[in-house]
Amino acid sequence: MRKYIIFDLDGTLINSIPDMTREVNLFLSRHNGRNLTEQEIISIIGSGAKVLVKKAFELTSIKTTDSEFDNLFSEWLDQYGKADMFLTKTWDGVIETLEYLKKNNYKMAVCTNKPPVPTKVILDRLKLSSYFDIVLDAESLPEKKPRPEPLWLAVKKMGGNVNEAIMVGDSEVDSEAAKNAGIPVVLLSFGYAHVPLEEIKPDFLIDHFSDLKNVLDKMK
């Protein structure tokens, strides 16, 4: 029985693209970069904040030295950590499903490549924090998804082992991390994947967040 569930954050529990697009474009505008579309933001999200900023600069032809980039990246973290996040929302069915899982004694964790400050701000503002036994962000370990170590640590901290765990995500990064960790993966069909879902080949694919309950029932 899979009683330990590890969730990705962006694109899985929440739709953060509207806020991310606004904040990235505010940042780029201060450094003479053009605005990016939401689809362009989706194409560069998922591998951590540093990759996001680097790819945003590449898309807008902003050139920096290594030392300049380090300073700019610190500026980005400061800006994004202070953002209101008022456009970021949970997907339909998230709260109801988490409530059901909590009542049925599932242990739940968040494992995200997002920086710690915006991770905490979003989870607290959307009243999600109380559902999770552990939250691992981009600074929790030297390794990040798709490496398996964050998933292993999440399971360990929840008191389980890998043969009792399952990963819920939305992208090839989540799928690869789960497979590297030896954990089945459930992907949402509407998240932020960068490649076609038929190429990712998750163990389960769901079209609505509440469908997760059916998947877990099948695995009992």
Side-chain angles (χ1 to χ4, degrees):
M1 187 173 180
R2 303 285 170 169
K3 293 290 289 187
Y4 299 88
I5 310 173
I6 307 166
F7 292 92
D8 174 51
L9 183 58
D10 292 276
T12 300
L13 294 169
I14 61 171
N15 178 15
S16 54
I17 290 300
D19 275 327
M20 185 71 73
T21 302
R22 184 195 66 237
E23 292 300 319
V24 168
N25 285 336
L26 283 172
F27 183 69
L28 290 173
S29 69
R30 292 205 298 270
H31 301 286
N32 301 312
R34 68 171 176 85
N35 283 356
L36 299 179
T37 66
E38 286 194 356
Q39 199 57 46
E40 285 176 310
I41 296 296
I42 290 173
S43 75
I44 61 177
I45 198 173
S47 296
K50 190 161 286 189
V51 172
L52 171 78
V53 175
K54 282 183 177 179
K55 290 187 175 180
F57 284 179
E58 290 171 5
L59 285 172
T60 55
S61 301
I62 295 175
K63 306 293 185 184
T64 66
T65 64
D66 289 344
S67 60
E68 287 171 339
F69 178 82
D70 288 342
N71 291 332
L72 289 169
F73 181 62
S74 295
E75 180 186 331
W76 161 253
L77 289 177
D78 182 65
Q79 176 194 313
Y80 191 47
K82 294 175 180 176
D84 290 330
M85 314 291 184
F86 62 87
L87 297 177
T88 295
K89 309 291 184 185
T90 57
W91 296 118
D92 289 343
V94 166
I95 298 296
E96 297 84 351
T97 302
L98 295 180
E99 192 70 33
Y100 166 85
L101 296 173
K102 193 78 170 177
K103 287 181 179 178
N104 284 274
N105 300 315
Y106 285 89
K107 297 290 186 180
M108 294 180 283
V110 169
C111 184
T112 177
N113 287 339
K114 202 177 191 72
V117 173
T119 296
K120 185 178 188 313
V121 167
I122 289 170
L123 290 174
D124 288 348
R125 191 181 67 76
L126 296 178
K127 296 180 172 58
L128 295 174
S129 300
S130 62
Y131 294 108
F132 300 106
D133 299 275
I134 182 71
V135 175
L136 298 181
D137 55 50
E139 294 184 11
S140 297
L141 283 176
E143 300 83 6
K144 299 177 179 61
K145 296 181 298 182
R147 289 285 297 270
E149 287 88 348
L151 276 61
W152 288 335
L153 180 60
V155 175
K156 181 179 179 181
K157 282 183 172 290
M158 288 189 288
N161 55 65
V162 293
N163 62 8
E164 300 172 300
I166 191 166
M167 173 81 195
V168 181
D170 69 300
S171 73
E172 66 281 2
V173 173
D174 299 319
S175 181
E176 186 178 349
K179 290 174 182 177
N180 289 339
I183 296 172
V185 63
V186 181
L187 290 190
L188 307 180
S189 63
F190 50 87
Y192 305 155
H194 303 144
V195 299
L197 292 170
E198 57 268 23
E199 292 183 16
I200 301 175
K201 297 179 181 178
D203 296 288
F204 302 94
L205 183 65
I206 58 176
D207 297 320
H208 192 277
F209 199 88
S210 62
D211 294 337
L212 177 60
K213 291 182 286 186
N214 297 330
V215 170
L216 294 170
D217 286 343
K218 290 176 182 176
M219 299 188 76
K220 286 181 180 179

